[in-house]
Amino acid sequence: MNQVFYKSTRSDSAPVTASQAILQGLAKDGGLYVPETVPKLDVPMKELAGKPYQEVAYAVMKQFLTDFTEEELKSCIARAYDSKFDTEKIAPLVPVEDCYYLELFHGATIAFKDMALSILPHLMTVSAKKNGVKNEIVILTATSGDTGKAALAGFAGVEGTKIIVFYPKDGVSPIQEKQMVTQRGDNTFVVGIHGNFDDAQNGVKAIFNDRELEKELDAAGFQFSSANSINIGRLVPQVAYYAYAYAQLLDRGEIADGEPMNVVVPTGNFGNILAAYYAKSMGVPIEKLICASNENKVLFDFFRTGTYDRNRDFILTSSPSMDILISSNLERLIYKVAGESAEQNAAFMKQLGAEGVYTLPEEMRGQLKDFYGNYTDEAGTAETIREVYEKTGYIMDTHTAVAAHVAKTYRKETGDITKTVIASTASPYKFTRSVMSAIDPKYQKEEDFALIDELSRLSGTKIPQAIEDIRSAPVLHKTVCEKDEMIKVIQSFLGV
Ligand SMILES: *Cc1c(COP(=O)(O)O)cnc(C)c1O
């Protein structure tokens, strides 16, 4: 089988193996790792129809992680996708109205981040062993709310690792914050920063590029890695569920073999939709990649005009995990449409850093035609939740509602009736207050846990364990810092 190596999007430095890319997270030059070529699936989709999630995940991931043995990868998959998920299907596909909702929120922290973060710690420890790493691995993560908890849950208690999570103190939902600050485990650290998600993410990126700190840590027996979606070990597991969605449609006879589907993805950092793009490149029959944004609509403007412009107000919305102005993973797509020119991509990223804006030339824009971008505002999000609930009884979360609204807009605009899969990225229980207020404003006055009970009654679904767990859990993490104090905080946690 062909080996797949990973190269940086910002310089022509020597390619690394999958396990090395997973260990490092970010390339030394500040770029992101991308596969030299996206591998093709070597199993026909027809054969994957009806197969359990674990088998589909293996068929997809083995093509990317070519320096893992079959035994290593299968063991990582078995340990990740087990009874931590509250359904055997792992990622069920639920038909509602004229779309299918790919529910990616059945893991330990009830958001789609669990799909990748339940396996990343296992990929990471195997990678460390493979590369003879002796240092303890310190996972450094910036979160807009969901990654943080999912990474904490994934890495808590994993030997040879510590995890430090930074979140915007006033930029996550109360339930998201409670989930993080109640995290158990001696190797877990949680810090609120006075700033927004982009501040947290930029701080973490700067720390990764701090060579002095790296030396200091190495001397003390530590090295950093990343659990953010800039890590290829996050991206690759996410490719699997797009293949699985198609396999489920085939298995149920909803689609003919080879007939394409569209996917609609509520987007923030561009990781989830990039995984869909990789799935398409692998040969999963996907037609359009529909990128849905909330009022922070940088990506909508980008797909419409070819100009990426982050110079605008940062808006706090009811879909906080998409409140992002710098979508890190877009860099992997930019690199691709720049003809894999690290030099040209690096120039765009430099411009983004310095001026907050860059514009693609016409011939590069032409390569984005598989993508369609649109957005919805707060009223549209709430209206979608209410309408779908009233018509069908199905209750979705705010992020998924952004995608559902954009799916409708797309159909109206284009008349395209291709089968449509909506990535359903969070359980409504994670954003109960916004969801219930969308259904009826009378709920605004009620307490969080009263609303949770009411949501369970209205939807006829069981309250997830993740929510039950935080009802009474004590707050264990109280650190708050300014955005320029992140290094100091890390040093004090690690005692260096
Ligand atoms: C992280 C997240 C998103 C955005 O996903 P990206 O991969 O960052 O584009 C959307 N919805 C929810 C619920 C999330 O947690």
Side-chain angles (χ1 to χ4, degrees), residues 228-245:
N228 277 101
S229 56
I230 52 175
N231 193 315
I232 200 80
R234 274 279 299 276
L235 218 44
V236 167
Q238 293 180 183
V239 180
Y241 48 72
Y242 291 104
Y244 185 62

Side-chain angles (χ1 to χ4, degrees), residues 112-113 146 266-272 321-322 399 425-426:
F112 96 96
K113 305 295 195 293
D146 291 333
T267 297
N269 226 355
F270 210 74
N272 201 2
S321 303
M322 297 158 68
H399 302 74
T425 51

Side-chain angles (χ1 to χ4, degrees), residues 105 110-114 143-147 176 197 229 234-235 238 241 265-275 291-292 299 319-324 327-329 397-400 423-427 430-431:
F105 55 75
I110 61 176
F112 96 96
K113 305 295 195 293
D114 289 324
T143 184
S144 56
D146 291 333
T147 293
Q176 287 178 315
F197 170 71
S229 56
R234 274 279 299 276
L235 218 44
Q238 293 180 183
Y241 48 72
V265 185
T267 297
N269 226 355
F270 210 74
N272 201 2
I273 195 164
L274 189 78
C291 175
L299 288 164
S319 45
S321 303
M322 297 158 68
D323 290 345
I324 288 175
S327 299
S328 292
N329 274 295
D397 100 289
T398 44
H399 302 74
T400 308
S424 178
T425 51
S427 159
K430 197 151 191 176
F431 301 94

Side-chain angles (χ1 to χ4, degrees), residues 119 256 284 375 411:
I119 193 165
V284 178
Y375 79 104
R411 279 212 168 144

